[in-house]
Amino acid sequence: MSKFVIIGLGSIGVRHWRNLLILRPDAHTILADPYCKWPVGTDNKLCYRDWMLALHHHPDATGVIIASPTGEHLRQLEACATHNLPVYVEKPPCERGESLALARLASYWSGKAAVGFQYRYHPEIDKVSGWPQLRFRARDNLVGRYGKAVGEVMAAHPLDTALRILGKPHRVRLYSDSVRMVGGIQHERGESFHDYDIGASERESSIAY
């Protein structure tokens, strides 16, 4: 049976856990978070308040997902390297002053490792970046996509994607009341239209020319 350790149960960690329930419903999931809410042994879920103990008890895990605060990533990656565990770490993989230590770790890592990335690095985004006079319509119900802590990162992904596709902003008209953000941006190579809501249902964004 597959076994995954998820370190960090904020909105992103919970999202990874929900994805695992859909993609690998038969997998055994071990959760690690200082404020873990699930009791040990409930419904095939183990929960540790100490992530080091979780890795120590499960060195045979199929993979580890690191979704903890950035300042903890490097130590957790080092522990995964020690156990030779495949790992996925959320961005950014480390603090700015730890980049050389991370590079050294990567130089001798013998296992598989992956880092999350902004949508701007998706190959499909690269295909359209640079096309003239594009229209990017971003429509997101943010709680459904990012979790309840979305107020801290409201629209960060689609705004960053718009800048990648259409270039620097020339004119910005965005309005927000912390529940909804609407408006538009005139860029170097076209326009982006934004409509974000603190809602739970999914909506689709689109690109047109």
Side-chain angles (χ1 to χ4, degrees):
M1 177 185 289
S2 300
K3 182 195 298 185
F4 294 91
V5 177
I6 301 177
I7 302 176
L9 288 176
S11 61
I12 302 300
V14 170
R15 198 160 141 223
H16 283 298
W17 172 66
R18 288 174 177 162
N19 287 340
L20 276 175
L21 289 180
I22 296 170
L23 298 173
R24 303 291 290 272
D26 59 334
H28 192 60
T29 306
I30 297 96
L31 309 170
D33 187 272
Y35 307 102
C36 205
K37 296 179 181 178
W38 288 297
V40 172
T42 302
D43 295 331
N44 196 34
K45 295 189 290 290
L46 290 175
C47 192
Y48 291 83
R49 296 185 184 277
D50 185 337
W51 62 265
M52 289 186 286
L53 197 60
L55 295 182
H56 179 72
H57 284 179
H58 303 280
D60 58 339
T62 308
V64 177
I65 297 170
I66 297 176
S68 55
T70 304
E72 301 176 14
H73 286 183
L74 184 61
R75 278 202 316 142
Q76 291 164 350
L77 286 168
E78 289 171 342
C80 289
T82 299
H83 292 287
N84 197 30
L85 288 168
V87 62
Y88 171 93
V89 59
E90 275 294 341
K91 59 188 181 299
C94 66
E95 298 282 6
R96 182 176 298 179
E98 298 172 332
S99 56
L100 290 178
L102 180 63
R104 285 194 294 271
L105 179 63
S107 69
Y108 65 80
W109 192 303
S110 58
K112 295 180 179 179
V115 181
F117 60 87
Q118 291 278 44
Y119 297 157
R120 63 159 50 228
Y121 299 113
H122 194 286
E124 294 301 315
I125 296 297
D126 277 340
K127 288 180 181 179
V128 299
S129 296
W131 287 11
Q133 297 307 308
L134 283 172
R135 289 184 177 183
F136 173 53
R137 190 173 298 276
R139 303 175 70 242
D140 247 335
N141 281 2
L142 300 172
V143 169
R145 193 174 296 274
Y146 301 118
K148 294 181 180 179
V150 72
E152 300 174 8
V153 293
M154 191 168 187
H157 277 291
L159 282 172
D160 183 69
T161 302
L163 294 174
R164 175 72 179 96
I165 295 171
L166 302 171
K168 295 179 181 179
H170 287 169
R171 189 178 186 183
V172 179
R173 289 187 173 181
L174 293 173
Y175 307 92
S176 173
D177 58 5
S178 298
V179 174
R180 193 179 185 200
M181 180 185 288
V182 295
I185 303 175
Q186 182 68 47
H187 300 261
E188 293 174 310
R189 297 186 297 273
E191 295 178 278
S192 62
F193 305 92
H194 303 266
D195 179 4
Y196 315 122
D197 201 337
I198 302 296
S201 59
E202 296 271 344
R203 294 191 292 168
E204 291 186 356
S205 299
S206 61
I207 301 173
Y209 62 93

